[in-house]
Amino acid sequence: MIEVAQVDVFSLAAAVTALLLAVALLVAYAINRRLKAFVWWAGSFALLALWLATATLRFEKPVVPVLWLSWGSFYAAACLVAYGLYREGATRISPLGRILACGALFLVMATTLTVLHARPHYWFLIGPIPTVIFMAWSAVLVYRAGAWGYGLVLVVGIAIVSLLSLIHPGGLARALSPRRPPSALRGGFGEAGDPGAPISLNPRPAQPGLLDFAPPAGPHPPVEQPLTVTLITVVALLAMAIALVMRDMLSELDRMRERSSIDAMTGLLNRATFEETAVGLLRVAGARPIYMILFDIDHFKRVNDTAGHAAGDRVISRLGRILRDMSVPRGIAGRVGGEEFAVILPDCDLSTARQFADAVRSGLSTSDFGDDIGWGVTASAGIARHLVDENLDGLTARADKALYAAKESGRDRITIAPDAMEERHWPGQNVRLAGSA
């Protein structure tokens, strides 16, 4: 019967921490099912917990099945991390080939260590090699895909694994130290007739207790227990988990914010977001010129009633695409009604605003919407300049009044709201002042 001679409670604590992280990732996945990679990373942390719980167990003699389980679970954890990255989209290349290649390397190394009856210290040195190679291979592909954050986490993981295998009390120093024969008792004879060691009146226990942290005999590094390495590992696990969780949470928040602020049909700002942004622009405008243009599709009800709502959706989408293509610096455009659109143009003159509106009007009127719409679809526009200390409601009301005048005067034209700060006559047969004769 094989008995455990010593247990490293620090590694057990780290194992519990890894299990808690696995549970946290599963809870995050249960909250948001789109985070599918979290399932694989939770499995990876569970396997890391198994490795931490078994890697530093000290038995009365080497237990090969435990060593296979320990380092096999460590390698499997790295494989699940890579597969989670693949599912997350950090890499486009499936890790199956890497898993099989490095897994074959692990089988060869573990079999060799078993056949040679290698001391446990060699397992600490050689056991991580397949995992390090697999992680380095994955890091290269992650960097090529441009996922620098994930690549950095993998590189840090490689450094920690290498550090663990080198400075662990069962690592390099113990593996390179010669075997020392036991000393004989004084009063008898040791090897080659040399007297043995003296007999102590208060001898130390020959076998350390289960929770005795006495360092192993022979040369060993200054860290007598893997406390420092364990703490580094736990911190690395926490940092990786937090970084990945925060990345996906922020990405999801960005997607939610985009979905809540963008009109799905046109790709422009929806009404609420447009008004919120416009208020901010007007607040800092001061005396600088800023214009609002309101567009309305002419006879849109006729389009829906004659050609169907699908045709109406095509018209709306087309006008939205025209406005997106004609975007100007710091300007904003939004869909503020069923077939109504609004544009804010800061730091421009009336001529520029009129040319912008005319280009949008011309772009829509020359668009081809298919045979189901048997006439040219047009739009009317109203332009108003922001007055000092005028709020958004006042500016919108004046632009809407100009738009109504354009509709009343025949449609497919642009009307400018009266403003004492601007000239009252503009060339062009499709341009007139609201309320002018």
Side-chain angles (χ1 to χ4, degrees):
M1 180 177 179
I2 300 174
E3 296 182 357
V4 177
Q6 202 169 30
V7 176
D8 180 6
V9 294
F10 298 113
S11 292
L12 290 179
V16 173
T17 302
L19 283 177
L20 292 177
L21 290 173
V23 173
L25 290 174
L26 290 176
V27 170
Y29 171 73
I31 296 174
N32 186 353
R33 293 301 179 91
R34 297 184 61 181
L35 306 177
K36 296 182 179 180
F38 279 26
V39 176
W40 301 99
W41 290 333
S44 177
F45 279 115
L47 289 170
L48 285 175
L50 179 60
W51 168 66
L52 288 167
T54 57
T56 55
L57 289 177
R58 295 175 187 168
F59 297 90
E60 292 179 341
K61 60 181 180 179
V63 181
V64 173
V66 174
L67 293 173
W68 274 78
L69 175 64
S70 177
W71 293 108
S73 61
F74 185 66
Y75 174 70
C79 294
L80 290 186
V81 169
Y83 192 77
L85 291 174
Y86 173 69
R87 292 296 302 271
E88 180 70 6
T91 58
R92 298 179 180 178
I93 302 176
S94 173
L96 181 59
R98 282 170 283 153
I99 292 174
L100 295 177
C102 294
L105 178 62
F106 169 77
L107 292 176
V108 170
M109 289 185 171
T111 302
T112 302
L113 292 172
T114 302
V115 171
L116 296 178
H117 301 287
R119 290 185 289 173
H121 322 304
Y122 286 103
W123 284 85
F124 270 99
L125 288 175
I126 299 177
I129 289 178
T131 306
V132 169
I133 293 175
F134 180 81
M135 293 173 67
W137 194 349
S138 300
V140 171
L141 297 178
V142 167
Y143 277 126
R144 288 180 178 176
W148 299 98
Y150 287 123
L152 179 61
V153 171
L154 287 175
V155 170
V156 172
I158 293 171
I160 292 175
V161 172
S162 302
L163 182 68
L164 175 64
S165 63
L166 291 176
I167 73 172
H168 194 278
L172 185 62
R174 288 296 306 274
L176 299 181
S177 63
R179 292 181 181 271
R180 294 187 176 184
S183 300
L185 298 178
R186 185 174 296 279
F189 292 94
E191 294 184 4
D194 294 332
I199 300 176
S200 173
L201 297 177
N202 297 304
R204 296 181 62 183
Q207 180 65 42
L210 185 62
L211 299 180
D212 185 8
F213 296 110
H220 53 274
V223 182
E224 296 181 350
Q225 292 294 333
L227 173 59
T228 302
V229 177
T230 301
L231 291 178
I232 292 175
T233 305
V234 172
V235 170
L237 294 174
L238 288 171
M240 183 174 69
I242 292 173
L244 296 177
V245 170
M246 289 301 297
R247 173 196 177 276
D248 286 281
M249 288 181 63
L250 292 175
S251 177
E252 181 63 20
L253 287 175
D254 288 339
R255 287 193 291 266
M256 292 175 61
R257 188 181 300 110
E258 182 178 353
R259 288 195 297 268
S260 64
S261 62
I262 299 298
D263 177 69
M265 187 178 297
T266 63
L268 302 176
L269 299 178
N270 60 26
R271 179 168 185 164
T273 307
F274 175 85
E275 292 180 347
E276 179 182 354
T277 309
V279 168
L281 290 176
L282 297 180
R283 185 182 299 117
V284 299
R288 292 179 300 171
I290 184 169
Y291 286 87
M292 169 179 276
I293 308 175
L294 289 181
F295 295 94
D296 187 87
I297 300 174
D298 297 328
H299 302 294
F300 185 73
K301 186 176 185 300
R302 178 187 174 190
V303 175
N304 282 334
D305 293 344
T306 304
H309 289 280
D313 292 346
R314 293 202 306 272
V315 173
I316 290 175
S317 299
R318 175 57 180 165
L319 182 53
R321 185 164 60 251
I322 292 173
L323 289 171
R324 291 201 314 271
D325 294 341
M326 293 186 59
S327 60
V328 296
R330 298 183 63 241
I332 59 171
R335 183 184 178 193
V336 296
E339 68 275 13
E340 297 177 357
F341 296 79
V343 177
I344 293 289
L345 300 178
D347 299 324
C348 73
D349 55 24
L350 182 55
S351 177
T352 302
R354 182 185 62 82
Q355 291 173 8
F356 180 93
D358 194 53
V360 172
R361 183 195 61 80
S362 299
L364 183 66
S365 63
T366 57
S367 298
D368 182 11
F369 295 104
D371 296 336
D372 49 349
I373 301 179
W375 65 92
V377 179
T378 61
S380 301
I383 303 176
R385 172 173 172 160
H386 174 243
L387 304 178
V388 177
D389 296 331
E390 184 180 32
N391 59 23
L392 179 62
D393 291 338
L395 177 62
T396 303
R398 293 193 301 112
D400 188 63
K401 185 176 181 180
L403 174 61
Y404 179 79
K407 292 278 191 181
E408 288 294 311
S409 61
R411 293 182 171 85
D412 190 21
R413 63 191 60 216
I414 303 164
T415 302
I416 302 168
D419 187 344
M421 299 175 62
E422 296 290 351
E423 298 181 13
R424 297 186 58 82
H425 300 286
W426 295 89
Q429 58 180 358
N430 290 327
V431 181
R432 57 175 293 172
L433 293 170
S436 63

